[in-house]
Amino acid sequence: DEKEKFEPTVFRDTIVQGLNEAGNDLEAIAKFLDAAGSRLDYRRYADTLFDILVAGSMLAPGGTRIDDNDKTKMTNHCVFFADEDHDAIRNYAQVSRG
């Protein structure tokens, strides 16, 4: 048995690219996440996925983002960039629960 490599940065890049391509349409984002779930290991990369959906990129210990301001490694389609109202946050939470 050969062990599968743990590559959270590759996972991040795939998720961020899909979120950015989906645009501002939360339904398109939900469809992307649903489709990607069949080929990406959400359980293995749960922490990375949570970081992306909440903060827009991977987080280092202590909470700083690991993206070096590289726009290809971050997304604005996350809770931190959502409008500051109850309905907007609830919509993002519903997308995250799938």
Side-chain angles (χ1 to χ4, degrees), residues 13-89:
D13 294 347
T14 303
I15 294 293
V16 166
Q17 179 182 3
L19 293 176
N20 288 340
E21 288 175 359
N24 293 326
D25 182 359
L26 287 180
E27 188 172 321
I29 289 171
K31 286 180 182 179
F32 162 72
L33 290 171
D34 187 43
S38 65
R39 56 189 170 77
L40 298 175
D41 191 348
Y42 283 170
R43 287 184 186 194
R44 182 180 191 128
Y45 298 107
D47 291 339
T48 303
L49 181 61
F50 182 80
D51 289 351
I52 293 166
L53 294 177
V54 172
S57 189
M58 285 175 53
L59 299 177
T64 56
R65 289 190 353 197
I66 308 172
D67 57 39
D68 300 321
N69 289 322
D70 181 343
K71 299 295 184 190
T72 65
K73 297 178 183 179
M74 55 190 281
T75 185
N76 290 336
H77 306 298
C78 64
V79 173
F80 282 9
F81 288 99
D83 291 335
E84 292 184 27
D85 69 47
H86 182 71
D87 290 335
I89 300 300

